[in-house]
Amino acid sequence: MNQVYFLGAGPGDPELLTLRAARLLAACPVIYAPTPFEETFAAHLAGKTVLVPFNHYFKELTDLIEKQLETGPVAFLVPGDLTFYSPFQALVDAFGERAEVVPGVGTANAAAAYLKKTLDLPAVCNRAILASPRTLGDSPGAPRMGDLAAPGVTLLIYMNNLPLPELVGQLRSGYGRNVAIAILHRLGLPGEEVVRGTLDDIVGTVGDRDFFNLNGPDQRPALTLVLVGESLDAVTDGHWWDHRRDHIWKVRGAE
């Protein structure tokens, strides 16, 4: 029985594919790849049928996949994080036992690696929250980004649809002071830009660059992740390491 593989492709850098995902990708004659993944993965897609899944309505797409499964396995390159804000769950459910999900290096992981930061640093940040203004809703009583921001929180903001000055204003109301912020646009893709700053200066630093596609003709969510919080500029020493060595790791046998 041929399978439909949903391969976590992270931000779009083919070098971040897992070994398993790369092996399955090579074995599939039909690949569904959203733009611009057909460009960044071009070396892995030569000689294959490459289609854009978002060009099809759901029933049309599932019927097409059923036909393709008659002759071989099918793979999807899943953009961003498979775990969060992914539109592919309905397809996974539709194919049931014939669907296999392969995890990958998600955008949040790639962003933390790029910044060389642990996002839940002991004594600095005690929780990380993933959120999107698009999914919080705009009904009365719906939470705002400022409600999620607070001292000790690292915020990972996906698919922002707020003008940057408005977003910064909400974040400042939650944090209550100036904290670090990083905007990672098209991470791992052509046109990559990363802007780091603080809530005080990020609006001026960004200027008129439209990282969130708010001025585009279609206003589709941009490939931009925003990280905010004290963990982004904190510097730690080895105190926490030695504490864990004495009280946690040593107990487990690290002699």
Side-chain angles (χ1 to χ4, degrees):
M1 178 176 64
N2 288 320
Q3 298 285 107
V4 184
Y5 298 106
F6 295 86
L7 309 178
D13 182 348
E15 293 195 358
L16 296 180
L17 274 181
T18 64
L19 295 175
R20 176 168 176 74
R23 186 174 71 252
L24 292 172
L25 182 63
C28 292
V30 176
I31 308 295
Y32 285 89
T35 301
F37 283 38
E38 79 281 8
E39 299 174 9
T40 58
F41 283 86
H44 299 265
L45 302 177
K48 300 179 183 294
T49 299
V50 181
L51 302 168
V52 178
F54 307 131
N55 287 345
H56 303 275
Y57 288 104
F58 187 77
K59 181 62 165 61
E60 175 189 356
L61 179 59
T62 55
D63 288 346
L64 182 58
I65 295 170
E66 288 285 6
K67 192 74 173 176
Q68 293 161 341
L69 286 172
E70 294 176 4
T71 56
V74 174
F76 280 76
L77 288 173
V78 177
D81 298 308
L82 187 69
T83 311
F84 304 104
Y85 304 112
S86 173
F88 293 97
Q89 186 61 56
L91 287 170
V92 174
D93 292 342
F95 287 96
E97 293 299 317
R98 292 180 294 166
E100 181 176 338
V101 176
V102 178
V105 177
T107 304
N109 307 105
Y114 182 97
L115 298 173
K116 301 180 183 179
K117 289 297 181 180
T118 296
L119 302 183
D120 63 340
L121 195 63
V124 175
C125 171
N126 56 21
R127 59 203 185 279
I129 298 175
L130 290 86
S132 169
R134 288 180 183 267
T135 61
L136 290 178
D138 54 7
S139 60
R144 301 164 71 247
M145 295 308 302
D147 299 322
L148 303 179
V153 171
T154 298
L155 269 177
L156 297 90
I157 304 171
Y158 288 70
M159 300 182 296
N160 175 59
N161 63 347
L162 300 174
L164 185 57
E166 180 180 347
L167 175 64
V168 168
Q170 290 194 28
L171 294 172
R172 179 173 283 283
S173 71
Y175 283 105
R177 61 188 181 87
N178 193 31
V179 297
I181 182 171
I183 297 175
L184 301 102
H185 178 66
R186 296 180 65 87
L187 186 62
L189 296 170
E192 173 184 285
E193 287 190 71
V194 176
V195 180
R196 303 181 69 165
T198 67
L199 296 182
D200 279 352
D201 62 25
I202 193 65
V203 172
T205 302
V206 169
D208 59 2
R209 285 175 286 183
D210 185 18
F211 286 136
F212 307 120
N213 195 32
L214 301 182
N215 301 320
D218 53 17
Q219 296 190 3
R220 290 183 297 176
L223 300 176
T224 304
L225 181 67
V226 180
L227 275 67
V228 193
E230 298 94 337
S231 63
L232 299 188
D233 61 358
V235 177
T236 186
D237 58 22
H239 175 76
W240 67 272
W241 181 283
D242 291 342
H243 175 81
R244 292 184 178 188
R245 164 63 174 79
D246 287 339
H247 299 283
I248 300 176
W249 300 331
K250 185 176 180 180
V251 175
R252 294 176 179 170
E255 296 294 344

